[in-house]
């Protein structure tokens, strides 16, 4: 087995630093991509929760006030970053109430930019009996 001379070892000393600096952009881009995937997933969670909250309140509301109650309940728990591009609508028929929530996916920082990619949440429940 051949032992490296001291001169050769000293000459290769900075190689790890150079390799790390070369990989840094790749590491940063990977972290940014992972963070964006987390934001998309969180937006799906928020859209589903907004639809659930909206339909829960809409089932107990009077039919004339249903849309207003539905929208207010759906947007209530959203932060300003997601509320700005959000819409919540309710519909009913045959004793069944549905709610649809649409949220824009932010780019890197919620509240700064949005993708143009909309996430949909949907929920439904049986209308509560009156009387």
């Amino acid at each position: 087995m051949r032992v490296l001379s001291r001169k050769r070892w000293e000459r290769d000393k900075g190689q790890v630093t150079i390799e790390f600096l070369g990989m840094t952009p790749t590491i940063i881009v990977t972290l940014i991509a992972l963070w964006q995937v987390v934001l998309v997933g969180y937006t799906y969670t928020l859209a589903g929760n907004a639809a659930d909250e909206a339909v829960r309140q809409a089932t107990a509301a009077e039919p004339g006030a249903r849309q207003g109650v539905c929208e207010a309940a759906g947007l209530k728990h959203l932060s300003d970053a997601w509320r700005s591009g959000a819409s919540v609508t309710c519909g009913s028929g045959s004793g069944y109430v549905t709610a649809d929530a649409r949220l824009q996916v932010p780019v890197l920082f919620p509240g700064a930019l949005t993708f143009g990619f909309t996430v949909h949440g949907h929920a439904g429940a049986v209308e509560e009996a009156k009387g």
Side-chain angles (χ1 to χ4, degrees):
M1 183 173 189
R2 193 171 145 194
V3 178
L4 292 176
S5 68
R6 185 133 180 98
K7 284 185 178 183
R8 184 171 176 198
W9 180 79
E10 287 177 1
R11 193 176 63 222
D12 291 343
K13 208 168 158 179
Q15 185 64 32
V16 172
T17 305
I18 298 300
E19 289 175 2
F20 180 74
L21 287 175
M23 286 300 296
T24 300
T26 304
I27 293 168
I28 290 172
V29 168
T30 302
L31 290 174
I32 288 171
L34 288 174
W35 175 247
Q36 191 60 52
V37 169
V38 167
L39 283 177
V40 170
Y42 187 58
T43 305
Y44 270 105
T45 301
L46 289 175
N49 184 57
D52 287 342
E53 291 291 330
V55 80
R56 186 176 298 120
Q57 294 298 319
T59 57
E62 294 295 324
R66 185 167 285 152
Q67 181 58 37
V69 170
C70 171
E71 188 173 351
L75 298 175
K76 180 180 178 182
H77 298 291
L78 295 176
S79 67
D80 291 335
W82 274 274
R83 191 179 299 148
S84 63
S87 68
V88 179
T89 57
C90 280
S92 62
S94 303
Y96 194 71
V97 178
T98 61
D100 291 299
R102 290 174 179 77
L103 277 70
Q104 295 290 320
V105 176
V107 177
L108 296 181
F109 300 104
L113 298 171
T114 59
F115 256 134
F117 177 66
T118 304
V119 169
H120 301 277
H122 179 78
V126 175
E127 191 173 355
E128 291 183 11
K130 307 290 186 224

